[in-house]
Amino acid sequence: MQKYDVIMIGGGHNGLVAAGYLQRAGLKVVVLEKNDWVGGAATSRELTEGFLYSNCSYVCSLFRPEIMRDLELPRHGLQIISYDGGAVFARNGDYLGTYRDHESHRREFARFSPRDAEAYDRYSRDVTRQCRFIQPLLMRTAPDPFSFRPRDISELVYLARKFGDMGAADMAAMMRFWTMSISDYLDEYFESPVIKASLAISGIIGTALGPKSPGTAYVLLHHYMGEVDGSVGAWGYARGGMGAVTKALAASFQSVGGTILTGSEVDKVITRNGRAIGVALANGDEVHADRVVSNADVKRTFLKLVDEKDLPDRFVHRVRHFKMRGSSGKLNIALDSLPEFPALPKDSRCLRGDMHFTDDLERMERGYDDWKAGRWSADPFIDMMIPTTLDPTMAPPGKHFMSCFVQYCPPQVEGRDWTDADRDAFAETVVSQISDYSPGFRDRIRHMEVRTPRELEAEVGLTEGNIFQGELTFDQLLFNRPVPGYAQYRSPIDGLYICGSSTHPGGGVMGAPGRNAAAEILRDAKMKPAQMREAHDVL
Amino acid sequence: MTLDPIRKAEQEHFRTLLMPTPFHPRLAPLVETQSWYGWAGMLVAHSVFDEELEYFAIRSTAALFDISPMIKYRITGPDAERCLNRLTVRDVSKQKVGRVQYTAWCDDEGHVLDDGTLFRLGAADFRLCCQERHLPWLLDTARGMDVAIREETQEIAGLALQGPTSFAVLSKAGFDGVEALRPFQLAEFDHDGGKVMISRTGFTGDLGYELFVPATAALSLWDRLWEAGRLHGLNAIGYNALNRARIEAGFIVANGDFVTAETALRADRVRMPDEIGLDWLVDVDKVQFNGRSAILAARKNGTLKHVLVGLEIDDNTPAEAAIVYHGNKREVGLISAAIWSPTAKRNIAIASLERPYGSEILDDLWVEIYALRELKYHKMMKRARVVERPFVKLARRSANPPARF
């Protein structure tokens, strides 16, 4: 039997990031992946000939450039491409475009409200100010406020200093931002319903909250604190789909001698005398190592892979009540030709960005009401993109891949499990909404992959299909993520760590949890990373 | 889902990133350098034929500069004066109809949002011209008052006619009575079946005027001036030449020489009027205006952190973006604008310094200049002295009646 220094359970992006750092530091690491491919929720699979889908995550901004550099991902093929803007289609036949060019953006907003057009700069400055505060925290282990260890104290002092630099007005703004609903927040700046609908999108994506729920302003911030090549808040496509991120991570890991075993589902973490010593696979094989790291979410790790009796009651209680509510589904569609949207002027660049059909916050909130009642939204919110307008690698020339992220979509349908008929009916609401704005859309469809929380949980392993491995609400952030007292990637079991998006700073294909976890593991092993850069200066 | 044709037509803006100004059809054929750039989303020129020669048009004959992209708001109604008195730091009730105020306005913390010029067209009719956009701020200030506020940047075309022969040009163009305009005074004149507003203002420190007309009358106004200017050395100019003249005149540019409060990302970058040389604008006798108590408190408590000064620097290398030191070691500030002044024959700069440097401590200031010369930096430490602005003071700017050259 092979003996390793570290077993990584799951080959998602955070698992591969951590594995990459650990292997480079000199540890012998094996990644055990249950699927026949790696990538977790960052995969590109060819389900119909000639078409690559970004099966789950579909755009990239949060993935930390420091990690790309440390792990030499560009050398292993990773390219991130910026895109220009997008559009919200309005029911009256108009549309609101968004553009990278500042003046085009302003003129477009001015069509809906001259006041809002000029309010955008103040809004953008205020959001950017908050991002500047929070972005450096992503690449640091959150301090445990009650440990009184020197490290934690110095980290608290670091935080206090950052607060101190802010000034009273900024701090007040921050507290409000972290607790408000995105609807209330936007009301302070804007009057146009369609402009508010456009800006609220980042506040609800991936979250089982509506635009009027407190806490959604923070979710918006989470989506703004990424960057593409220093352009903070910008989003881009990974060339070759989001699988390109994990493909490069896997290649980087293997290039320094790391082992990846696909088709190897872990059944249990084996412990001896309160210490993790290896894992048992579903096929009965065992793999042993000094340390076990789980890339699975906190519920899957501690409620399925570990015996509850090996864990403190209070810890189990906390894990059980960690909020992981699935709220979204996904349609990946292979198209025979580029869809037409008569509302868009000919040659509009908006077709290359994110497109939406929800033109006011009321509709968005009604969609959420359906979710609360245990149904998928009858009038769903769709984040729709056609990456092949910029990426030639995902479909044959003239053909296109369309990614539709759909909210809201409950983990169970009115209290029962999803059926195939439910899934097809869910897909139909989406296709029907798109068809309302794009005549002949159905006829262009060659193949379609439909993913409800059921498929996300079964295939990717995301409990309830929650894309962030746990809600990004303030009660579950920083030293409370995932469990107070266990926010530093360790667990009650010696030698067992977690490194997925359930941990600080959360999901969104950021890689920071994996990197921070690797730092803690190496600290315990009294080793140093070969290369682990501090967070870049912001702006 | 059918959209009316007007709304459909308005969508087309995205095809043109930089919009032509109303003068573009006349200006474009003149711009031999093709050095176009964007000012507030409009297409304007860095230079027209030769920025050096354009500068001398400002200082020796007359120069025509397109100021249409300047942001313009129209404030009208019974409470217009009250509203502007609350907005700005100067006393608008003292501003007579037909006068122009150079002014500034602040947020509640007394940090400058922008500076600009306020034209009083009537008892209840004002035009505010500035660099940045402020519609939400203006509308919020006007809440509860009987006043209408409208952005009119696109509708109103503007020209700056500057230089020693600028009066002669206007006179030749038939604007009778323009000789009566004193500095910061405005009047309306007949033009093309309508009116043109002419004020004796400008950004050059020279004799000069600014002209505002409805965009539809822009080309006829240009033609009228151009024809009249033929024998008076009238030249079209770009921003680079104007910028040299404005530095000589000691004028500051928002988001060039100071960061405006609504655009600053970093909390320490904002400035109070006293920190950018605008303390003389603040009318403390005015009972209430935005930022008043914060400004007074900062003065009383001595918490003003910065000061904006004019510097004269040894030798002749412009010190653009250079760091300012005290005693050759301690970093005390930054230069935001610098040129060799052809008119003063001095090496001049505008700098922002940390108090007490520049306010109390004026000696032993040095500037670190890196001059790139054929792929090698010549690094220099040059002596700098705080001097009065304007660097160039011309009698003809304020002579009454104005001279013909």
Side-chain angles (χ1 to χ4, degrees):
Chain A
M1 187 186 61
Q2 273 275 22
K3 174 84 163 59
Y4 295 91
D5 296 323
V6 178
I7 292 167
M8 176 62 67
I9 305 173
H13 63 278
N14 278 312
L16 292 169
V17 165
Y21 278 109
L22 296 174
Q23 182 77 30
R24 277 165 194 260
L27 293 169
K28 198 172 161 197
V29 184
V30 62
V31 173
L32 302 175
E33 166 58 48
K34 79 182 170 75
N35 290 319
D36 293 328
W37 59 90
V38 293
T43 51
S44 304
R45 299 182 60 214
E46 183 174 349
L47 300 181
T48 185
E49 203 191 330
F51 290 81
L52 266 187
Y53 291 163
S54 276
N55 303 78
C56 299
S57 60
Y58 51 99
V59 277
C60 188
S61 165
L62 305 180
F63 197 77
R64 297 305 314 161
E66 300 88 348
I67 299 172
M68 297 185 199
R69 203 169 166 184
D70 286 343
L71 301 181
E72 301 178 286
L73 302 188
R75 192 160 74 79
H76 294 285
L78 181 62
Q79 265 186 277
I80 309 291
I81 317 157
S82 286
Y83 63 80
D84 187 7
V88 175
F89 294 93
R91 280 166 294 178
N92 67 358
D94 204 348
Y95 78 104
L96 169 73
T98 51
Y99 299 96
R100 283 161 60 87
D101 177 66
H102 182 263
E103 289 299 321
S104 297
H105 197 273
R106 183 187 59 75
R107 281 192 282 259
E108 184 69 357
F109 271 35
R111 295 203 299 118
F112 294 83
S113 159
R115 183 198 164 104
D116 288 2
E118 300 196 8
Y120 182 76
D121 287 345
R122 198 196 303 179
Y123 165 81
S124 175
R125 178 208 61 177
D126 287 350
V127 173
T128 308
R129 276 189 175 182
Q130 297 298 324
C131 288
R132 282 176 50 79
F133 174 77
I134 205 155
Q135 206 189 49
L137 307 185
L138 303 177
M139 299 278 277
R140 307 174 77 98
T141 295
D144 182 338
F146 305 109
S147 82
F148 301 108
R149 284 180 302 164
R151 256 189 85 203
D152 288 316
I153 290 168
S154 83
E155 197 63 18
L156 284 168
V157 168
Y158 167 83
L159 279 179
R161 283 233 178 84
K162 283 193 70 75
F163 278 110
D165 288 345
M166 284 189 105
D170 281 338
M171 196 166 331
M174 187 187 68
M175 294 315 288
R176 297 172 74 253
F177 209 142
W178 286 7
T179 52
M180 282 175 90
S181 76
I182 189 60
S183 171
D184 286 343
Y185 190 75
L186 292 172
D187 280 345
E188 296 195 355
Y189 295 90
F190 303 105
E191 60 187 13
S192 155
V194 63
I195 286 174
K196 284 193 265 189
S198 168
L199 292 170
I201 290 164
S202 300
I204 60 156
I205 280 194
T207 304
L209 293 171
K212 300 189 178 185
S213 310
T216 42
Y218 175 79
V219 178
L220 175 124
L221 197 57
H222 190 89
H223 283 106
Y224 267 63
M225 59 201 176
E227 61 180 278
V228 176
D229 300 324
S231 175
V232 171
W235 284 77
Y237 295 126
R239 194 170 190 263
M242 284 302 280
V245 173
T246 48
K247 203 171 150 190
L249 281 167
S252 163
F253 172 60
Q254 287 167 320
S255 76
V256 290
T259 309
I260 296 175
L261 301 176
T262 55
S264 306
E265 182 170 5
V266 171
D267 187 44
K268 278 288 175 203
V269 174
I270 306 167
T271 60
R272 185 179 297 153
N273 302 326
R275 186 174 173 86
I277 56 155
V279 298
L281 300 182
N283 65 9
D285 289 352
E286 286 191 4
V287 186
H288 289 190
D290 298 332
R291 290 180 172 82
V292 178
V293 189
S294 173
N295 182 196
D297 67 56
V298 66
K299 289 199 185 211
R300 203 176 180 87
T301 301
F302 294 110
L303 303 179
K304 288 203 173 120
L305 300 180
V306 173
D307 250 330
E308 279 184 32
K309 63 177 188 313
D310 292 338
L311 298 166
D313 283 352
R314 202 64 206 156
F315 180 82
V316 174
H317 178 81
R318 283 279 182 216
V319 171
R320 278 191 193 288
H321 291 277
F322 187 73
K323 285 181 304 197
M324 297 202 61
R325 310 171 298 196
S327 60
S328 58
K330 182 95 196 286
L331 266 63
N332 298 310
I333 306 172
L335 295 167
D336 271 327
S337 53
L338 189 65
E340 284 169 19
F341 295 90
L344 288 183
K346 202 170 159 10
D347 309 321
S348 169
R349 291 195 301 279
C350 299
L351 203 64
R352 300 180 207 155
D354 45 301
M355 291 173 276
H356 317 271
F357 307 101
T358 307
D359 60 355
D360 69 37
L361 293 182
E362 286 306 317
R363 282 176 70 196
M364 218 177 252
E365 188 71 17
R366 293 292 86 77
Y368 178 50
D369 289 344
D370 288 338
W371 180 89
K372 282 183 274 183
R375 297 184 298 266
W376 62 85
S377 305
D379 176 19
F381 162 79
I382 307 178
D383 190 24
M384 179 180 83
M385 355 217 14
I386 311 174
T388 42
T389 51
L390 288 172
D391 182 350
T393 70
M394 300 184 78
K399 316 274 185 232
H400 288 278
F401 156 57
M402 176 190 271
S403 162
C404 297
F405 172 88
V406 188
Q407 246 170 245
Y408 294 81
C409 190
Q412 287 201 307
V413 182
E414 293 173 335
R416 60 172 170 76
D417 289 339
W418 280 81
T419 63
D420 288 352
D422 292 331
R423 182 197 60 203
D424 295 345
F426 163 73
E428 174 54 29
T429 55
V430 177
V431 170
S432 147
Q433 190 184 69
I434 298 170
S435 303
D436 286 346
Y437 296 83
S438 182
F441 177 71
R442 274 173 208 281
D443 302 333
R444 302 178 200 270
I445 299 175
R446 168 192 288 231
H447 174 269
M448 184 158 75
E449 179 192 26
V450 184
R451 324 191 84 187
T452 70
R454 174 180 72 160
E455 284 76 24
L456 291 173
E457 173 154 0
E459 184 190 296
V460 188
L462 295 168
T463 300
E464 293 196 24
N466 183 295
I467 66 167
F468 294 136
Q469 284 201 353
E471 295 278 61
L472 295 172
T473 49
F474 206 59
D475 55 317
Q476 302 195 149
L477 292 177
L478 286 165
F479 40 74
N480 281 340
R481 190 172 185 92
V483 172
Y486 296 94
Q488 298 183 335
Y489 312 95
R490 297 176 184 81
S491 76
I493 296 169
D494 278 351
L496 177 62
Y497 300 81
I498 43 173
C499 73
S501 297
S502 286
T503 59
H504 170 77
V509 194
M510 200 182 288
R515 177 247 189 219
N516 295 350
E520 295 301 327
I521 293 162
L522 290 173
R523 182 183 293 272
D524 288 354
K526 300 193 169 29
M527 295 174 73
K528 287 212 178 307
Q531 181 74 266
M532 189 181 279
R533 288 175 175 85
E534 296 287 310
H536 288 165
D537 282 342
V538 189
L539 298 176
Chain B
M1 294 218 312
T2 47
L3 207 60
D4 72 70
I6 294 171
R7 192 99 183 128
K8 198 80 193 160
E10 284 171 354
Q11 292 180 342
E12 294 293 313
H13 72 83
F14 77 93
R15 299 185 196 281
T16 315
L17 291 191
L18 294 175
M19 297 287 173
T21 76
F23 298 110
H24 191 73
R26 294 293 181 273
L27 199 50
L30 300 175
V31 179
E32 295 166 8
T33 59
Q34 299 295 336
S35 59
W36 300 100
Y37 75 103
W39 172 11
M42 293 172 106
L43 191 61
V44 289
H46 275 304
S47 64
V48 172
F49 59 101
D50 181 324
E51 69 174 75
E52 191 95 19
L53 303 183
E54 291 164 38
Y55 164 82
F56 285 113
I58 301 173
R59 290 289 182 237
S60 177
T61 54
L64 205 50
F65 179 69
D66 183 359
I67 54 171
S68 303
M70 198 159 56
I71 308 299
K72 302 180 267 300
Y73 296 101
R74 192 67 167 263
I75 299 110
T76 52
D79 286 337
E81 180 188 295
R82 208 178 121 215
C83 174
L84 288 162
N85 238 346
R86 182 179 168 188
L87 176 81
T88 64
V89 297
R90 288 185 85 168
D91 193 342
V92 183
S93 67
K94 290 182 188 158
Q95 183 182 2
K96 297 196 176 70
V97 174
R99 295 291 299 173
V100 185
Q101 268 189 354
Y102 170 61
T103 189
W105 51 105
C106 301
D107 65 11
D108 299 1
E109 284 78 42
H111 298 131
V112 179
L113 289 160
D114 211 344
D115 64 342
T117 40
L118 182 63
F119 297 78
R120 187 155 201 173
L121 310 176
D125 187 1
F126 294 85
R127 175 176 292 143
L128 183 63
C129 295
C130 49
Q131 183 71 18
E132 298 296 322
R133 293 178 175 275
H134 303 283
L135 190 57
W137 187 268
L138 296 176
L139 292 173
D140 286 351
T141 302
R143 192 163 291 158
M145 296 191 210
D146 189 0
V147 56
I149 296 176
R150 211 164 47 80
E151 197 238 23
E152 57 174 19
T153 307
Q154 301 266 27
E155 299 149 44
I156 305 294
L159 279 177
L161 173 65
Q162 304 278 307
T165 64
S166 55
F167 164 67
V169 173
L170 287 179
S171 181
K172 170 85 175 170
F175 292 109
D176 298 334
V178 82
E179 66 279 0
L181 287 181
R182 296 173 156 266
F184 289 101
Q185 196 176 346
L186 68 86
E188 284 201 322
F189 297 85
D190 290 331
H191 173 70
D192 197 11
K195 296 282 184 193
V196 54
M197 188 199 87
I198 303 180
S199 59
R200 188 166 163 189
T201 51
F203 209 46
T204 58
D206 216 306
L207 174 63
Y209 300 85
E210 288 171 316
L211 299 86
F212 295 88
V213 280
T216 47
L219 296 181
S220 61
L221 178 66
W222 180 284
D223 293 341
R224 185 173 172 180
L225 294 173
W226 201 248
E227 178 56 31
R230 275 198 308 129
L231 300 179
H232 297 282
L234 181 64
N235 280 287
I237 63 159
Y239 181 72
N240 293 0
L242 181 85
N243 190 44
R244 294 192 194 193
R246 76 91 187 171
I247 296 171
E248 290 184 327
F251 292 130
I252 55 172
V253 173
N255 288 320
D257 299 293
F258 70 99
V259 179
T260 58
E262 282 212 321
T263 55
L265 290 175
R266 296 158 183 83
D268 63 343
R269 299 300 202 273
V270 292
R271 294 289 187 269
M272 287 190 164
D274 301 35
E275 295 177 300
I276 54 172
L278 300 185
D279 39 332
W280 62 279
L281 292 179
V282 180
D283 194 331
V284 291
D285 296 333
K286 209 163 64 154
V287 179
Q288 199 204 1
F289 61 90
N290 258 319
R292 181 179 186 270
S293 43
I295 293 167
L296 293 186
R299 286 180 178 179
K300 182 163 165 266
N301 303 331
T303 52
L304 294 160
K305 290 197 187 77
H306 300 92
V307 64
L308 187 134
V309 295
L311 293 180
E312 188 181 329
I313 299 158
D314 278 356
D315 295 332
N316 61 0
T317 312
E320 211 155 31
I323 295 174
V324 183
Y325 294 87
H326 179 258
N328 246 323
K329 266 197 207 78
R330 189 191 165 92
E331 197 178 318
V332 296
L334 183 87
I335 286 175
S336 54
I339 54 159
W340 166 259
S341 164
T343 299
K345 300 295 178 219
R346 291 187 292 166
N347 194 21
I348 60 173
I350 295 170
S352 186
L353 305 185
E354 284 169 38
R355 292 174 190 242
Y357 303 97
S359 54
E360 279 111 71
I361 303 174
L362 303 177
D363 63 338
D364 211 7
L365 293 175
W366 298 81
V367 169
E368 187 177 33
I369 303 171
Y370 287 80
L372 189 59
R373 298 282 180 265
E374 297 174 329
L375 293 186
K376 189 170 167 139
Y377 273 116
H378 288 206
K379 187 182 156 190
M380 300 165 246
M381 264 297 192
K382 295 291 177 189
R383 195 64 186 264
R385 284 170 200 82
V386 174
V387 295
E388 288 289 310
R389 288 177 298 144
F391 302 99
V392 169
K393 203 165 181 179
L394 299 163
R396 63 184 178 239
R397 186 191 81 91
S398 46
N400 288 300
R404 300 194 68 84
F405 53 84

